[in-house]
Amino acid sequence: MVITFRGKKKFVVMDIKRYEELRMKELELAYKEVMEDYKNGDYKVLSAKEHIESLKEELDV
C-alpha cells in the first residue's frame, strides 16, 4: 500500500485482512457523520437531473 502525504510517498506493508478491517472502520465512521449531518438537515437528496441543474447554475452554464 502506498500513502501519499503532501507529495511524499510512504510505503506501508500491511496484510490485506488488516487493511480491510481499518478501511471498514473508516467507512463506518464516515457513514455515521454523513447520516448525522443528513438528520440535522445539512444534506439534501437530489435526483441526477436536479444535481446537474444545480451544477449548471453554479457554473453559469
Side-chain angles (χ1 to χ4, degrees):
M1 172 174 49
V2 178
I3 298 173
T4 303
F5 180 72
R6 295 185 184 173
K8 297 179 182 178
K9 289 185 179 181
K10 294 188 176 192
F11 295 88
V12 178
V13 177
M14 183 182 304
D15 69 57
I16 192 70
K17 185 177 179 182
R18 180 68 180 137
Y19 171 77
E20 289 173 354
E21 288 172 0
L22 292 173
R23 182 72 179 136
M24 287 307 298
K25 285 182 184 177
E26 181 181 312
L27 290 172
E28 287 171 9
L29 289 173
Y31 178 78
K32 285 179 185 178
E33 286 181 22
V34 168
M35 291 311 295
E36 286 176 15
D37 289 343
Y38 178 75
K39 288 176 187 173
N40 292 332
D42 295 336
Y43 283 94
K44 182 179 175 186
V45 176
L46 300 175
S47 69
K49 185 177 180 178
E50 290 172 318
H51 184 69
I52 291 168
E53 292 300 319
S54 71
L55 291 173
K56 284 181 180 178
E57 287 176 16
E58 287 184 36
L59 298 172
D60 294 324
V61 177

